[in-house]
Each structure stands twice: as structure tokens, then as C-alpha cells.
């Protein structure tokens, strides 16, 4: 058993509590990882606010990189000392999605289920005598974590962990939504709703795919300079207009956009993103995690005329196969990650990090 620091969330809408936790050794087909760097993602915050329902107490965090400390019985693909990225979308290699060339959402995932356990139904964390739940099979807000072998990818030993941790969620999710899920073509027109780290990664994906017009939409105009630096051609703040944003975008483009991306997780913007794409061949992709217990009501004529509405989890990448390749591409300078990193804080200041997230900084 390893004793270390972790940020424990004891109950909803309260700050993280830095606690000493006990981390059990890995069981068969499990891997214990020393976390070196972890990103803060809005999905973690959704658990705190109740937008994503999970059991408490819990150790959140799902975007990270680290070094393998030890492995359980039967683990052959990974050894102590390997640099790795935990995978919140696992890849078991056996379920229908893993076996299909079209899918990437392995059936062993915990998205949309409030499980909070390892695959065998138990926890590896204890604090003050209480079992602490896992989050999305990763739990990275701790100095050490335990993940299943199908939920970890071995990466280039030369990769800078404080940068490539973003490939564990934000970058891959956004970039893949454009290049993999939507399959944006050269010369096309795209709009991105929401310019956080994931939204900016969609901008990068649209640019890499050769889109000729990339419209960035956010109610925080402070985000526009960075969006332009990464490839946005136009920036629009919906609060500057009296009319609905989808009407503004249709006027700007003449006929609606080829591809729209909702990267916030709000039902209103999901509906607007669908309405602003071209009525016959437009494609709208939901990238932001939808809030729990909310429904969308929309006119089915929007789809009848030919639009495609689709979702994208982890950018459509098969995680275990793709994460090492994405890290290799980063090492070859095929894309940048530095602009996505606004602040670097010590682990004990995690609550300040979440304050920065919530204030749009």
C-alpha cells in the first residue's frame, strides 16, 4: 500500500480536500501509476455541480500523464518505469465497438454510468477508513492511481508529461471531433461553439483539415485572440446581437456552415449548432458532455432536410491504439499544445485551478 496526497471530493459543491490516502497495490491486469501532471477539465467540474452524476466521496481527474510504479499479475504490455497516459475511454479489444472500424466507445467505459469502481466492483483508494470512489476508471487528482490494463497507453519515453497529459482528454477530444468524427474537408466552413481547451482543439483540427472559414463563438471575447492564433478566421460573441445566434451564422455564411461543433455541454447551444449548419448536407457534432436529466426539443424538419447530427466521445479515437500515435505526432511537431496551457499550479492549489476554470481564465 502507498500513502500519498490526493484531492478528495467528499460531497457536491464543496472545495477539494487535500488528504492522505492509501492506494492499494494493483490486482491482476491492473497498473499503478505515479501521476506527474494532470489537466483540469470541465467534465470534472460537472461532477462537483451535479451536471454529471457520480457517487461521493470520489477522486476526480481524467486527463493526465505519469510513470508506471508497479503492475499486477498478468500485465504484459506495460512495465514499471514506462511513461503512460490513463484512458477514460478504455479499449478492451473485445466488445462490438472495439471490434468495429466505425466505433471507439468501448463497452467497458464508465461514461453515463455512476459506477465509481474498478472493473471488479471494488475501490483501490481509502481515506480515513472510508473507501473512495474512482472516476471514469482513471482518478488522476492523486499522486498515485490504479487503472485497468485496458485503460492505459504506453507513450514515447521522451515525451514531456506536463504537455502530453492534454492528449489524455482535451486536445484529442477536440482535434478528433474535427478530423475523425466530422471528417472536415479542405475548403469547408466550420463553426465552433465554446472556446475552452477542447473548443480551441477543434479549431486546430478544422485548420489541419484545411477548412477555409473557421468561425469561433463564445460569450467571453477574451478568448478570441487565442482562437485566431490557432486558426479561427472569424470570432462572434452572441451577446453582441439581438437575434438568435444561428440566424447570425446563417447570414454570415449565406447558407449555413458545412460543419458545426458544440463544445460547451448546453442544450441551447446544441440546438443552435444544429440549426446553423447547411439544411441539406450540414453536419453538427456534439462534443461537450450533455447535462444530466435535460432534454432537447427541436423541429424534426431540421433533420428531415438532410442534416446529420452526431456525437463524439474522445474525438472518435480508439484510445490504446491512437494515444501513442498522437504523442508521436506531437513529438514530430504536427500540432502544438502550449497555447492550451494557460496556468501551471502545484497540486495543492487545485481549488485555485478550478476557480480559474470557472471564471473563464
Amino acid at each position: 500500500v502507498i500513502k500519498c496526497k490526493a484531492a478528495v471530493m467528499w460531497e457536491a459543491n464543496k472545495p477539494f480536500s487535500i488528504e492522505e490516502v492509501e492506494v492499494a497495490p494493483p490486482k491482476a491486469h491492473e497498473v499503478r501509476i505515479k501521476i506527474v501532471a494532470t489537466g483540469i477539465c470541465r467534465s470534472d467540474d460537472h461532477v462537483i455541480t451535479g451536471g454529471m452524476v457520480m457517487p461521493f466521496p470520489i477522486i476526480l481527474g481524467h486527463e493526465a500523464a505519469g510513470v508506471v510504479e508497479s503492475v499486477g499479475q498478468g500485465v504484459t504490455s506495460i512495465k514499471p518505469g514506462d511513461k503512460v497516459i490513463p484512458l477514460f475511454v478504455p479499449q478492451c479489444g473485445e466488445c462490438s465497438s472495439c471490434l468495429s472500424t466505425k466505433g471507439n466507445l468501448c463497452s467497458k467505459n464508465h461514461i453515463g454510468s455512476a459506477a465509481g469502481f474498478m472493473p471488479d466492483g471494488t475501490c483501490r483508494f481509502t481515506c480515513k477508513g472510508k473507501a473512495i470512489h474512482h472516476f471514469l476508471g482513471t482518478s488522476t487528482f492523486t499522486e498515485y492511481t490504479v487503472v485497468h490494463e485496458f485503460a492505459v497507453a504506453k507513450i514515447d519515453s521522451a515525451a514531456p508529461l506536463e504537455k502530453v497529459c492534454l492528449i489524455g482528454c482535451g486536445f484529442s477530444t477536440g482535434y478528433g471531433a474535427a478530423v475523425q468524427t466530422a471528417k472536415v474537408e479542405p475548403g469547408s466552413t466550420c463553426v465552433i461553439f465554446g472556446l475552452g481547451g477542447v473548443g480551441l482543439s477543434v479549431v486546430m483540427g478544422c485548420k489541419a483539415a484545411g477548412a477555409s472559414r473557421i468561425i469561433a463563438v463564445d460569450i467571453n471575447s477574451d478568448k478570441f485572440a487565442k482562437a485566431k492564433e490557432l486558426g479561427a478566421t472569424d470570432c462572434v460573441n452572441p451577446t453582441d446581437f439581438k437575434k438568435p445566434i444561428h440566424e447570425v451564422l446563417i447570414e454570415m455564411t449565406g447558407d449555413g456552415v458545412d460543419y458545426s461543433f458544440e463544445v460547451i455541454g448546453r442544450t441551447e447551444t446544441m440546438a443552435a449548432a444544429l440549426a446553423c449548419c447547411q439544411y441539406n448536407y450540414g453536419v453538427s457534432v456534439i462534443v461537450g458532455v450533455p447535462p444530466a436529466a435535460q432534454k432537447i426539443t427541436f423541429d424534426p424538419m431540421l433533420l428531415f432536410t438532410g442534416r446529420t447530427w452526431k456525437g463524439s466521445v474522445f474525438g472518435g479515437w480508439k484510445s490504446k491504439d491512437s494515444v501513442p500515435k498522437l504523442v508521436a505526432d506531437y513529438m514530430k511537431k504536427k500540432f502544438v499544445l502550449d497555447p492550451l496551457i494557460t496556468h501551471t499550479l502545484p497540486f495543492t492549489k487545485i481549488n485555485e485551478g478550478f476557480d480559474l476554470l470557472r471564471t473563464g481564465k
Side-chain angles (χ1 to χ4, degrees), residues 39-239:
I40 288 177
C41 175
R42 183 65 83 173
S43 305
D44 302 306
D45 193 47
H46 286 331
V47 180
I48 300 165
T49 58
M52 191 173 181
V53 180
M54 288 284 159
F56 294 96
I58 192 167
I59 292 174
L60 297 174
H62 63 283
E63 177 182 273
V67 179
V68 174
E69 177 272 333
S70 60
V71 300
Q73 199 181 343
V75 175
T76 52
S77 57
I78 285 166
K79 62 186 187 306
D82 284 348
K83 280 192 179 178
V84 291
I85 287 178
L87 308 170
F88 75 91
V89 171
Q91 189 181 343
C92 73
E94 293 164 1
C95 69
S96 57
S97 289
C98 282
L99 293 171
S100 166
T101 55
K102 300 186 227 173
N104 78 315
L105 187 55
C106 172
S107 68
K108 301 281 197 289
N109 83 84
H110 288 255
I111 297 158
S113 83
F117 299 103
M118 291 296 284
D120 71 351
T122 62
C123 300
R124 299 291 166 273
F125 301 115
T126 319
C127 181
K128 297 178 179 168
K130 279 194 178 145
I132 309 292
H133 292 94
H134 294 251
F135 178 55
L136 300 181
T138 50
S139 289
T140 63
F141 292 166
T142 168
E143 292 176 320
Y144 287 87
T145 193
V146 178
V147 304
H148 195 277
E149 185 181 17
F150 55 50
V152 61
K154 180 183 171 179
I155 60 166
D156 183 343
S157 61
L161 299 182
E162 73 286 358
K163 315 260 195 225
V164 299
C165 62
L166 299 178
I167 292 172
C169 177
F171 172 77
S172 307
T173 296
Y175 190 77
V179 302
Q180 285 257 117
T181 307
K183 297 187 168 56
V184 170
E185 297 119 337
S188 52
T189 302
C190 302
V191 62
I192 296 95
F193 288 78
L195 302 175
V198 186
L200 292 170
S201 300
V202 178
V203 170
M204 284 154 70
C206 292
K207 187 182 179 186
S212 60
R213 196 165 180 199
I214 300 169
I215 305 167
V217 178
D218 203 297
I219 54 171
N220 179 355
S221 298
D222 294 345
K223 308 233 173 187
F224 293 166
K226 188 158 280 184
K228 287 202 158 145
E229 177 196 329
L230 292 172
T233 55
D234 307 71
C235 293
V236 179
N237 188 326
T239 60

Side-chain angles (χ1 to χ4, degrees), residues 291-314:
Q294 283 197 21
K295 302 281 181 274
I296 295 185
T297 307
F298 68 101
D299 179 354
M301 187 55 85
L302 284 166
L303 292 179
F304 176 75
T305 54
R307 287 180 184 85
T308 302
W309 207 1
K310 59 203 306 191
S312 177
V313 178
F314 194 57

